[in-house]
């Protein structure tokens, strides 16, 4: 994909990709219901569509009309007669590990080459400690994984990492134990699972500033959902970034999820001097609203906190650092090394190709402000790397290898770029 420089734009956008995290959770949690669940504005991208294929293999009926998805859960989950392919989606695989460990059946989870290199021991190890029967490479550290569902023991687990995927997997496992379990974390991770499960009348309670969750065994099916999924703030962030770095530009991003654990990247931009305002209203179980962003002069920043709230947006923030006078630094972000690519390495390699001074750190990176030049960069088959550098292309021109990976999370990304006035070639 080639992206050519764009002068400026002023735009309202309401067709940002639907939120991936909520779409995935809606699909998987629907298996715990008796009645049908319906979601309007479900994300019709490769990752979330792949999750629906898995639901069918487990016995669910799935109907898709436009962007509305209806899921009719099976009375009991079926043992599939084939491998469950999670594609590139770590969320799908990790949540299913938690769910399937506690139900009757035999399941094999596999992914693409990238997903099968990502660590699964953070999920599998605590589950095996409570009786889960999980088998795979290097003691179930990597997929493919085989799961023999069984009854699990209750637990009192304190997580040393801030991970919404681990938290959700343990909650789902806790529903299939004999007595009350507890999950505790040091720093609040994304809390979509708790919000959605509470709306479904799940037997959980939350305390200690949302850092402690009490999980009780599931004695009856969950309440089915009928929701409209908001637009994804992580996807919207690329266009917020474009408005900030292009002169005389502005954008209004509509119907965006405004959960505080999801808009930290916007808050980082505000700390850097960006002009960003929110208009908030409530819908279903989350805060939704509009984000208005204008072109701004940026100052450098050092980021060390709330990394789990930023992990998806850090590649895009690396682009913002180019335009922030001085040296910007990210630390405590070692998790970036085990995403779809080693994002620390991917970011630094590509910034250097664009003529920017950047340094790779063990747990982050440094970026000096500068004047980017036209370049050909590698996506490393990582959708967030590809989209971040596509936005840089609006300033200096960029050619991106293996840009097809964008379809995993944001199938209309290029269409929105073009709607801003950008020239984009496949």
């Amino acid at each position: 994909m080639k992206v050519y420089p764009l002068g400026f734009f002023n735009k309202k956008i309401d067709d940002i990709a639907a939120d991936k995290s909520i779409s995935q959770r809606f699909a998987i949690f629907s298996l715990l219901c008796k009645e049908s669940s319906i979601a309007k504005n479900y994300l019709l991208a490769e990752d979330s569509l792949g999750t629906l294929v898995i639901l069918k293999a487990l016995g669910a009926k799935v109907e898709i009309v436009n962007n509305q998805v209806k899921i009719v859960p099976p009375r009991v989950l079926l043992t599939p007669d084939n491998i469950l392919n999670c594609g590139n989606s770590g969320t799908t695989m990790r949540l299913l590990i938690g769910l399937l460990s506690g139900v009757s059946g035999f399941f094999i989870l596999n992914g693409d080459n990238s997903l099968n290199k990502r660590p699964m021991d953070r999920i599998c190890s605590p589950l095996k400690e409570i009786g889960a029967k999980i088998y795979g490479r290097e003691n179930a550290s990597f997929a493919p994984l085989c799961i023999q569902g069984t009854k699990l023991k209750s637990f009192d687990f304190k997580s040393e990492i801030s991970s919404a995927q681990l938290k959700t997997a343990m909650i789902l496992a806790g529903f299939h134990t004999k007595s009350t379990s507890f999950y505790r974390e040091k720093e609040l991770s994304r809390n979509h699972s708790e919000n959605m499960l509470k709306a479904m009348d799940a037997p959980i309670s939350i305390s200690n500033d949302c850092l402690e969750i009490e999980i009780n065994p599931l004695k009856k099916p969950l309440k089915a959902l009928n929701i409209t999924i908001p637009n994804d703030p992580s996807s919207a962030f690329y266009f917020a970034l474009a408005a900030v770095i292009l002169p005389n530009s502005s954008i209004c991003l509509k119907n965006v999820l405004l959960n505080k654990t999801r808009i930290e990247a916007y808050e980082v931009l505000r700390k850097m001097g960006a002009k960003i305002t929110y208009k908030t209203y409530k819908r279903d179980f989350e805060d939704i609203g509009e984000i208005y962003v204008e072109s701004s002069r940026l100052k450098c920043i050092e980021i060390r906190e709330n990394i789990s709230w930023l992990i998806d947006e850090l590649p895009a923030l690396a682009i913002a650092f180019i335009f922030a006078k001085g040296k910007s630094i990210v630390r405590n972000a070692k998790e970036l090394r085990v995403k779809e690519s080693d994002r620390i390495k991917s970011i630094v390699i590509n910034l250097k190709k664009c003529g920017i001074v950047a340094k790779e750190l063990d747990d982050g990176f440094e970026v000096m402000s500068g004047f980017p030049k036209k370049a050909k960069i590698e996506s490393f088959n990582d959708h967030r790397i590809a989209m971040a550098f596509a936005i840089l292309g609006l300033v200096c021109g960029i050619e991106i290898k293996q840009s097809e990976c964008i379809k995993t999370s944001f199938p209309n990304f290029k269409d929105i770029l073009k709607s801003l006035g950008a020239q984009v070639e496949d």
Side-chain angles (χ1 to χ4, degrees):
M1 180 173 75
K2 293 182 180 179
V3 181
Y4 294 88
L6 173 67
F8 69 93
F9 66 89
N10 297 278
K11 192 78 174 176
K12 290 183 179 180
I13 298 179
D14 61 6
D15 58 346
I16 297 291
D19 190 77
K20 181 178 174 182
S21 295
I22 292 181
S23 294
Q24 298 281 53
R25 283 160 172 78
F26 162 82
I28 292 172
F29 295 171
S30 73
L31 294 174
L32 300 173
C33 301
K34 182 179 180 181
E35 305 298 332
S36 300
S37 292
I38 297 173
K40 300 179 182 69
N41 199 39
Y42 184 88
L43 178 62
L44 301 180
E46 289 180 2
D47 282 355
S48 45
L49 287 172
T51 302
L52 297 180
V53 173
I54 290 175
L55 262 61
K56 291 180 182 179
L58 294 172
K61 295 180 181 178
V62 179
E63 299 175 10
I64 304 175
V65 179
N66 296 324
N67 67 343
Q68 177 175 297
V69 170
K70 178 180 178 181
I71 300 172
V72 183
R75 188 175 62 83
V76 294
L77 295 186
L78 302 181
T79 294
D81 58 8
N82 213 327
I83 293 169
L84 300 176
N85 182 9
C86 300
N88 191 245
S89 178
T91 299
T92 303
M93 182 171 284
R94 288 172 174 145
L95 269 57
L96 284 175
I97 295 170
L99 174 67
L100 300 177
S101 290
V103 301
S104 178
F106 181 77
F107 313 93
I108 301 175
L109 301 177
N110 194 24
D112 63 12
N113 289 335
S114 172
L115 183 56
N116 285 357
K117 293 176 183 176
R118 295 174 66 181
M120 294 296 151
D121 54 318
R122 67 181 59 179
I123 309 292
C124 296
S125 291
L127 287 171
K128 287 194 290 183
E129 289 179 6
I130 62 171
K133 298 178 180 179
I134 308 172
Y135 311 94
R137 293 184 298 128
E138 297 185 29
N139 200 25
S141 293
F142 300 98
L145 298 170
C146 300
I147 301 171
Q148 179 68 64
T150 187
K151 201 67 176 179
L152 303 174
K153 298 180 290 185
S154 59
F155 55 86
D156 190 337
F157 182 78
K158 185 172 183 179
S159 178
E160 296 300 319
I161 60 172
S162 180
S163 168
Q165 293 174 351
L166 170 58
K167 175 169 59 178
T168 306
M170 295 302 289
I171 292 172
L172 293 173
F175 288 155
H176 297 100
T177 61
K178 292 182 179 180
S179 57
T180 301
S181 298
F182 294 91
Y183 183 91
R184 312 171 201 271
E185 56 185 351
K186 293 180 178 179
E187 176 186 287
L188 180 64
S189 59
R190 292 180 178 181
N191 61 350
H192 303 310
S193 293
E194 302 97 292
N195 292 344
M196 187 179 293
L197 288 168
K198 286 181 69 177
M200 300 174 78
D201 293 339
I204 64 171
S205 59
I206 301 166
S207 59
N208 190 23
D209 293 327
C210 302
L211 297 177
E212 181 176 305
I213 305 173
E214 179 182 310
I215 310 149
N216 290 292
L218 195 61
K219 295 182 178 179
K220 62 178 182 179
L222 297 184
K223 176 184 174 183
L225 289 173
N226 189 335
I227 62 172
T228 300
I229 296 174
N231 293 335
D232 192 320
S234 299
S235 297
F237 187 72
Y238 298 103
F239 303 105
L241 170 65
V244 168
I245 65 176
L246 288 176
N248 304 313
S249 296
S250 65
I251 197 162
C252 180
L253 303 160
K254 301 176 74 67
N255 300 315
V256 177
L257 174 67
L258 296 182
N259 181 301
K260 72 174 184 177
T261 69
R262 296 294 304 282
I263 58 170
E264 183 68 9
Y266 297 87
E267 292 302 291
V268 168
L269 275 185
R270 289 179 78 178
K271 291 175 184 175
M272 295 173 68
K275 301 171 185 175
I276 299 176
T277 56
Y278 307 104
K279 181 180 179 181
T280 306
Y281 55 90
K282 190 80 174 178
R283 187 174 70 205
D284 296 323
F285 44 83
E286 292 281 3
D287 289 335
I288 316 293
E290 299 177 3
I291 306 176
Y292 183 75
V293 186
E294 300 178 63
S295 56
S296 311
R297 290 184 177 180
L298 300 178
K299 58 186 178 182
C300 60
I301 194 169
E302 182 168 347
I303 304 172
R304 292 178 176 268
E305 298 178 344
N306 292 333
I307 296 299
S308 67
W309 297 4
L310 287 168
I311 206 71
D312 287 337
E313 294 86 1
L314 282 170
L317 281 170
I319 304 303
F321 295 166
I322 298 172
F323 303 92
K325 187 175 180 180
K327 179 169 69 175
S328 294
I329 304 171
V330 173
R331 301 303 302 257
N332 299 324
K334 204 166 186 176
E335 178 73 10
L336 283 173
R337 293 200 180 274
V338 292
K339 302 299 284 183
E340 282 82 344
S341 71
D342 179 340
R343 286 182 177 162
I344 293 175
K345 188 177 293 293
S346 301
I347 289 167
V348 171
I349 287 173
N350 285 327
L351 287 176
K352 288 180 177 179
K353 288 183 177 181
C354 297
I356 299 300
V357 176
K359 181 180 178 181
E360 185 177 334
L361 306 174
D362 179 58
D363 64 345
F365 53 89
E366 298 177 353
V367 179
M368 288 294 300
S369 56
F371 298 95
K373 65 180 183 181
K374 183 179 179 180
K376 181 184 291 187
I377 65 101
E378 300 277 353
S379 74
F380 298 97
N381 208 29
D382 187 326
H383 56 133
R384 301 210 181 270
I385 296 295
M387 289 187 285
F389 280 87
I391 298 303
L392 181 59
L394 298 177
V395 174
C396 61
I398 287 287
E399 181 176 346
I400 305 166
K401 295 182 180 180
Q402 295 179 308
S403 63
E404 299 83 4
C405 57
I406 292 172
K407 295 178 181 178
T408 63
S409 65
F410 202 160
N412 65 329
F413 175 78
K414 286 191 287 186
D415 293 335
I416 295 178
L417 270 184
K418 291 176 182 178
S419 77
L420 302 182
Q423 183 181 351
V424 182
E425 295 179 0
D426 291 327

